[in-house]
C-alpha cells in the first residue's frame, strides 16, 4: 500500500488514490509527526512519551497510551491489513517504532526546489513551473498540529525559511521569463509581511522598473530603506543601493532582456540594409523565414507566404547552386497531418526537381541531399514511389557526408515518408530516437523538438502512455526554453488523447478535444485544424457506441470522403451509404491514414459490406498492435486488434 504523508500544514496522510486516512485525535497526529520527523530512524517509546508530555509529568499509563496510539495509526494507515500480520508502514523495532515513509510532501517540496535551482539559468519557465508546484504543496504552517513543541521547532523554522526563499526564487524565475505582472502581484504582500528580506525588495523593484513603472520602483526601494531602519535599525545592503543607483541612471543592464534584444535586432537590421548584395540578402531572408516559421502563428503564416517568393527570386537569378541553397535552407520540421498549402508545396517540389536536374549527379552532394529532403517533406500524401526514394537517397548522402544538421533534415524527410502503409510506428519511433540523440549532441533544438514529438506520437500509437508522457514533458521543456509556442498545440492534443487512452469518461475526453481544437484554430495551421475536431469527436463516439451527432455546418475537411458512408447511415440511407463505400478510395499516405481505414471498417461492419471489409482488413493487419488514428498523437478510434476481431467475426 502506498501512503503519502503531509506535514506542510496539519499532519495528514492519504492513500494511493489521494483519499485522506483517518488519523483520529491530536495525540495520534503528534506520534505520527514525531515519527515522520525522524526520517525512518527508530524513536524509542520513552522518547515518544517525553515528547508527547514535554510540558507535563507523563501519566502512569503513558507507555501503554503510546502503544494504543500506534495501534490506531496502524489501522488507519493499513486498513486492509489482515489481523496478526506484520505491519509494512509503521514498524516495531526493538523498544521503539520507525515509520517506513513512502512519500512526504516536505520532501517533494525540497526536491522540487533542487530541480528548479538547476534550471533557473537555462530554463526559467520550467523553474517557475516547478516552484509553483512546490509552493502549492503548502496547506498552512509546517507541522501545524505540533507547533507548540520544542522537538518540531527547528524543522518548522527550517521549512518556513525555505518556503520564503521559494517564493522569492519563483519571482526571479517569472521575472526572467518577462512575467513582471505576476512578480509584482506575488511580492507586494510578501515584502510587507517580511520586510527584512532584501532579495524580495530587490526583485519587486526590478520587476516594476521592467514594467515601465520607474517611479514605483524607486518608491519600493525607499520603503525598504525606511522599514529596515525602523524595524531593524539597518541600512539597505549594497545590492539594494546599487539597484537604486542603476534605476536612477537607467543603466542598460537592468533593462528587461527583451528590450536589449529588440535594440540589437533593429540596429543589426539597419546595418544590413547597406551591406551585402542580392544573393547574400536572399539567403539571409530564407534563414529569417525558417526562424519565423517556428516562432508562432503569425511567423508561420508570413514564412509560408514569402517562401515561394524567395524560391522564385533565386530561380530568376539563374544560379542553380543559389536556388538549391534557398530551397534547401528552409529545413522546418513537418508535423501536421496535411500540407497547409498543397498548391505551394507542389510548386516547391517542382522547383526542387528542376534544380536537381540542373545540378546533375556529379558533386553537390550536400545540396542534392537538401533538395531531396525537401521533395520528401513537401510530397505528403503522394502515392508514388518518388518521395520515398528521395527520402532514402537524402539520408544515404547525409550519412556519407557526416553532416549532423543535414542528417537531421534528411531524417525529417524519412519520417514523413513512413506513412505509405499502416503498422510503421516502430520504424517512426527509431527515427525519432535517433533525431533526439543526434540533435541533443549537436544543439539542433528544432529537430530535438521534432524527435520528441515523434516519440509522443509513437508512444500514443502503441498505447504506451508512459513513453508518450516522457516525450511530452521533454518537448514542453524544450519549447519553453527555445520559444517554440506552436509545440503546445500538439502537446495539448496529446493530453486530450491520453484521457481517452486511459479510460476517462467520454464527456471529459470530448471537452479536452474541444479545448485542444480551440488552441489549434488560431495557430496558423489550417491543414491540421480543418475537420480535426469533428473527426476526434466521431472517433470517440464510435469507440463507445454512442449515437451519431453532428453540429450544423460541420466541416469535415479532408476527412469527408471516409466519413460520408457513416454519415449517410446516420440519416437512414443505407443504399447511398453502400454506394459511397464502393466509391471511397484507399486513404492517402499520412498521419491519419489508419484512422481513415478504421472509418471504412466501421461503415463496412455496419453495412455488412464484404469487399470493403476485406480491403480494411488487409490494410489494417500490419498495425495489429497499434491504436487506429493515434499515430498523430491527437485522437484514437481504439485498438486495431479490436477492429480486426470484429471484422473476422463478421465473416
Amino acid at each position: 500500500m502506498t501512503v503519502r504523508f503531509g506535514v506542510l500544514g496539519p499532519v495528514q496522510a492519504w492513500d494511493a488514490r489521494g483519499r485522506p486516512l483517518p488519523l483520529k485525535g491530536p495525540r495520534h497526529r503528534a506520534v505520527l509527526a514525531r515519527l515522520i520527523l525522524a526520517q525512518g530512524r527508530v524513536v524509542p517509546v520513552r522518547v515518544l512519551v517525553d515528547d508527547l508530555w514535554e510540558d507535563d509529568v507523563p501519566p502512569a499509563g503513558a507507555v501503554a497510551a503510546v502503544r494504543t496510539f500506534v495501534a490506531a495509526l496502524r489501522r488507519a494507515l493499513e486498513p486492509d491489513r489482515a489481523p496478526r500480520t506484520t505491519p509494512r508502514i509503521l514498524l516495531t523495532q526493538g523498544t521503539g517504532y520507525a515509520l517506513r515513509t513512502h512519500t512526504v510532501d516536505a520532501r517533494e517540496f525540497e526536491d522540487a526546489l533542487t530541480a528548479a535551482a538547476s534550471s533557473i539559468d537555462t530554463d526559467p519557465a520550467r523553474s517557475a513551473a516547478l516552484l509553483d508546484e512546490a509552493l502549492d504543496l503548502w496547506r498552512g504552517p509546517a507541522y501545524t498540529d505540533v507547533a507548540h513543541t520544542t522537538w518540531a521547532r527547528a524543522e518548522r523554522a527550517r521549512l518556513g525559511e525555505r518556503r520564503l526563499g521559494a517564493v522569492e526564487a519563483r519571482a526571479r524565475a517569472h521575472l526572467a521569463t518577462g512575467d513582471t505582472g505576476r512578480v509584482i502581484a506575488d511580492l507586494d504582500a510578501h515584502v510587507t509581511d517580511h520586510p527584512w528580506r532584501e532579495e524580495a525588495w530587490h526583485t519587486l523593484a526590478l520587476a516594476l522598473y521592467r514594467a515601465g513603472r520607474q517611479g514605483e520602483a524607486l518608491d519600493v526601494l525607499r520603503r525598504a530603506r525606511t522599514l529596515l531602519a525602523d524595524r531593524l535599525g539597518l541600512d539597505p545592503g549594497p545590492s539594494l543601493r546599487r539597484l537604486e543607483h542603476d534605476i536612477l541612471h537607467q543603466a542598460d543592464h537592468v533593462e528587461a532582456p527583451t528590450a536589449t534584444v529588440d535594440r540589437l535586432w533593429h540596429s543589426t537590421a539597419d546595418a544590413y540594409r547597406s551591406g551585402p548584395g542580392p544573393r547574400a540578402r536572399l539567403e539571409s531572408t530564407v534563414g529569417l523565414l525558417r526562424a519565423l516559421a517556428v516562432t508562432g502563428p503569425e511567423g508561420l503564416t508570413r514564412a509560408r507566404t514569402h517562401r515561394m517568393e524567395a524560391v522564385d527570386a533565386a530561380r530568376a537569378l539563374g544560379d542553380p547552386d543559389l536556388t538549391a541553397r534557398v530551397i534547401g535552407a528552409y529545413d522546418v520540421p513537418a508535423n501536421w497531418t496535411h500540407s497547409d498549402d498543397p498548391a505551394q508545396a507542389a510548386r516547391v517540389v517542382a522547383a526542387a526537381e528542376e534544380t536537381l536536374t540542373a545540378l546533375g549527379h556529379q558533386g553537390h552532394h550536400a545540396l542534392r541531399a537538401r533538395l531531396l529532403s525537401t521533395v520528401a517533406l513537401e510530397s505528403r500524401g503522394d502515392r508514388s514511389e518518388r518521395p520515398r526514394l528521395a527520402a532514402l537517397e537524402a539520408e544515404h548522402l547525409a550519412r556519407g557526408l557526416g553532416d549532423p544538421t543535414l542528417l537531421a533534415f534528411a531524417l525529417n524527410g524519412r519520417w514523413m515518408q513512413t506513412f505509405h502503409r499502416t503498422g510503421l510506428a516502430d520504424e517512426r519511433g527509431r527515427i525519432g530516437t535517433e533525431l533526439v540523440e543526434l540533435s541533443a549532441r549537436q544543439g539542433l533544438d528544432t529537430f530535438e523538438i521534432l524527435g520528441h514529438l515523434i516519440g509522443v506520437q509513437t508512444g500514443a500509437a502503441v498505447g504506451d502512455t508512459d513513453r508518450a508522457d516522457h516525450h511530452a514533458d521533454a518537448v514542453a521543456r524544450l519549447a519553453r526554453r527555445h520559444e517554440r509556442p506552436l509545440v503546445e498545440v500538439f502537446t495539448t492534443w496529446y493530453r486530450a488523447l491520453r484521457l481517452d487512452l486511459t479510460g476517462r469518461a467520454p464527456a471529459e475526453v470530448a471537452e479536452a478535444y474541444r479545448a485542444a481544437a480551440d488552441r489549434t484554430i488560431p495557430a496558423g495551421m489550417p491543414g491540421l485544424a480543418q475537420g480535426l475536431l469533428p473527426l476526434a469527436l466521431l472517433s470517440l463516439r464510435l469507440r463507445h457506441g454512442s449515437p451519431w451527432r453532428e453540429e450544423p455546418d460541420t466541416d469535415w475537411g479532408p476527412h469527408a470522403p471516409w466519413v460520408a458512408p457513416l454519415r449517410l447511415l446516420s440519416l437512414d440511407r443505407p443504399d447511398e451509404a453502400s454506394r459511397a463505400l464502393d466509391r471511397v478510395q484507399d486513404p492517402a499516405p499520412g498521419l491519419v491514414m489508419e484512422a481513415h481505414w478504421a472509418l471504412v471498417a466501421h461503415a463496412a461492419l455496419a453495412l455488412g459490406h464484404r469487399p470493403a471489409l476485406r480491403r480494411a482488413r488487409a490494410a489494417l493487419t500490419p498495425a495489429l498492435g497499434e491504436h487506429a488514428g493515434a499515430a498523430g498523437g491527437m485522437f484514437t478510434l481504439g485498438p486495431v486488434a479490436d477492429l480486426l476481431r470484429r471484422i473476422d467475426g463478421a465473416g
Side-chain angles (χ1 to χ4, degrees):
M1 179 181 176
T2 299
V3 175
R4 181 170 177 266
F5 297 98
V7 297
L8 301 180
V11 177
Q12 201 162 349
W14 301 272
D15 66 13
R17 295 186 179 182
R19 297 173 300 192
L21 297 172
L23 299 181
K24 294 192 174 182
R27 296 289 191 189
H28 300 78
R29 294 176 185 273
V31 170
L32 181 59
R34 184 63 184 84
L35 293 172
I36 292 171
L37 199 62
Q39 299 182 2
R41 295 186 297 274
V42 175
V43 181
V45 173
R46 291 309 315 177
V47 172
L48 286 172
V49 167
D50 291 343
D51 285 347
L52 262 62
W53 285 276
E54 65 177 354
D55 295 329
D56 301 301
V57 176
V63 171
V66 167
R67 289 175 177 151
T68 301
F69 300 150
V70 168
L73 283 171
R74 282 174 171 160
R75 287 193 296 273
L77 298 177
E78 298 184 71
D80 299 327
R81 183 170 59 87
R84 292 183 297 278
T85 58
T86 304
R88 290 171 294 168
I89 296 177
L90 207 171
L91 312 179
T92 300
Q93 294 188 349
T95 60
Y97 301 103
L99 192 69
R100 182 178 291 168
T101 51
H102 290 211
T103 306
V104 181
D105 59 2
R107 193 175 303 158
E108 292 176 324
F109 169 71
E110 296 197 90
D111 287 346
L113 297 195
T114 301
S118 68
S119 61
I120 181 64
D121 294 327
T122 58
D123 192 351
R126 176 174 181 265
S127 183
L130 286 167
L131 289 163
D132 284 340
E133 293 173 8
L135 289 165
D136 283 346
L137 294 170
W138 284 76
R139 297 167 286 110
Y143 290 93
T144 302
D145 309 78
V146 291
H148 60 285
T149 64
T150 56
W151 48 266
R153 185 177 301 154
E155 181 64 1
R156 292 183 71 246
R158 188 186 73 82
L159 288 170
E161 178 67 19
R162 295 221 68 184
R163 181 185 175 279
L164 295 179
V167 170
E168 293 157 12
R170 177 176 64 181
R172 291 193 298 274
H174 281 296
L175 184 61
T177 68
D179 191 357
T180 56
R182 170 73 183 268
V183 175
I184 294 165
D186 282 353
L187 289 185
D188 198 34
H190 180 75
V191 295
T192 302
D193 292 340
H194 309 284
W196 60 89
R197 299 189 70 87
E198 293 194 30
E199 181 62 32
W201 289 106
H202 184 283
T203 306
L204 175 58
L206 186 57
L208 286 164
Y209 180 74
R210 290 185 177 178
R213 297 156 65 177
Q214 180 178 351
E216 291 176 73
L218 291 169
D219 183 61
V220 160
L221 293 171
R222 293 184 187 111
R223 279 171 54 205
R225 183 187 301 112
T226 300
L227 285 166
L228 286 168
D230 289 350
R231 296 195 186 185
L232 300 175
L234 297 174
D235 290 328
S239 176
L240 289 182
R241 294 198 303 272
R242 187 163 52 249
L243 179 61
E244 184 174 21
H245 174 274
D246 290 342
I247 289 175
L248 283 168
H249 293 85
Q250 298 184 347
D252 287 346
H253 66 267
V254 294
E255 287 184 5
T258 51
T260 303
V261 170
D262 288 346
R263 189 168 59 250
L264 283 168
W265 171 275
H266 291 299
S267 62
T268 304
D270 287 341
Y272 202 73
R273 289 191 185 99
S274 59
R279 285 173 167 75
R281 287 187 183 182
L282 189 55
E283 291 192 66
S284 298
T285 298
V286 177
L288 178 59
L289 294 178
R290 176 180 56 191
L292 279 173
V294 295
T295 56
E298 184 179 353
L300 177 60
T301 302
R302 286 179 176 270
R304 189 181 301 120
T305 300
H306 297 303
R307 181 188 181 190
M308 199 62 213
E309 292 179 32
V311 173
D312 288 341
R315 294 166 76 189
L317 291 171
D319 184 341
D321 283 18
L322 173 65
T323 304
R325 289 196 298 273
V326 167
I327 293 172
Y330 193 84
D331 54 357
V332 177
N335 303 78
W336 35 95
T337 53
H338 291 275
S339 174
D340 292 308
D341 189 341
Q344 185 187 85
R347 291 179 62 196
V348 170
V349 170
E353 295 283 22
E354 175 188 290
T355 307
L356 279 165
T357 301
L359 288 176
H361 284 80
Q362 302 302 317
H364 305 290
H365 291 328
L367 292 179
R368 282 187 59 80
R370 286 193 168 274
L371 291 170
L372 290 163
S373 296
T374 301
V375 170
L377 283 171
E378 298 297 338
S379 299
R380 283 166 281 185
D382 191 318
R383 299 174 189 270
S384 73
E385 286 294 312
R386 171 56 180 163
R388 288 188 286 283
L389 294 175
L392 291 169
E393 185 181 351
E395 182 185 4
H396 174 74
L397 290 170
R399 291 191 188 281
L401 291 167
D403 183 336
T405 304
L406 186 59
L407 178 57
F409 188 27
L411 288 173
N412 189 184
R414 274 271 290 114
W415 168 71
M416 186 55 72
Q417 291 302 319
T418 57
F419 295 95
H420 56 284
R421 67 168 178 83
T422 66
L424 294 174
D426 287 342
E427 182 177 344
R428 292 192 286 274
R430 288 191 292 272
I431 292 171
T433 298
E434 183 174 4
L435 264 175
V436 168
E437 294 172 352
L438 172 70
S439 302
R441 288 196 306 270
Q442 301 296 328
L444 306 174
D445 55 90
T446 302
F447 287 108
E448 187 176 1
I449 287 170
L450 172 64
H452 282 298
L453 285 174
I454 295 171
V456 171
Q457 294 169 340
T458 304
V462 299
D464 185 346
T465 53
D466 288 342
R467 176 180 180 182
D469 288 349
H470 163 74
H471 288 288
D473 292 342
V475 80
R477 290 193 298 271
L478 286 167
R480 287 193 299 267
R481 183 187 308 165
H482 298 293
E483 298 179 344
R484 301 290 188 264
L486 293 177
V487 168
E488 195 171 0
V489 171
F490 302 103
T491 54
T492 303
W493 272 104
Y494 166 68
R495 300 299 181 193
L497 166 61
R498 190 185 190 285
L499 295 177
D500 202 355
L501 290 171
T502 53
R504 302 293 279 272
E508 183 182 358
V509 178
E511 189 60 31
Y513 280 149
R514 290 189 180 95
D518 288 342
R519 188 176 293 277
T520 306
I521 291 168
M525 294 183 283
L528 173 67
Q530 191 180 24
L532 181 56
L533 177 60
L535 181 60
L537 295 177
L538 172 59
S539 301
L540 185 62
R541 287 192 290 273
L542 289 171
R543 284 197 69 193
H544 294 276
S546 304
W548 179 278
R549 285 183 56 195
E550 183 176 351
E551 300 294 331
D553 303 320
T554 295
D555 178 9
W556 291 99
H559 316 294
W562 295 278
V563 173
L566 289 167
R567 188 170 182 275
L568 290 166
L569 273 171
S570 75
L571 299 171
D572 198 22
R573 292 152 62 180
D575 292 340
E576 292 179 63
S578 185
R579 288 194 292 273
L581 200 52
D582 285 332
R583 292 192 302 270
V584 77
Q585 294 185 349
D586 288 357
L591 285 160
V592 293
M593 180 174 60
E594 288 167 13
H596 288 167
W597 273 120
L599 295 176
V600 170
H602 277 282
L605 284 165
L607 289 164
H609 193 295
R610 292 183 180 279
L613 283 173
R614 287 194 294 271
R615 289 172 61 201
R617 191 187 192 290
L620 288 171
T621 295
L624 178 63
E626 299 180 21
H627 281 249
M634 296 182 175
F635 66 92
T636 178
L637 283 100
V640 171
D642 291 351
L643 261 181
L644 292 175
R645 276 194 293 271
R646 291 181 60 194
I647 292 172
D648 291 342

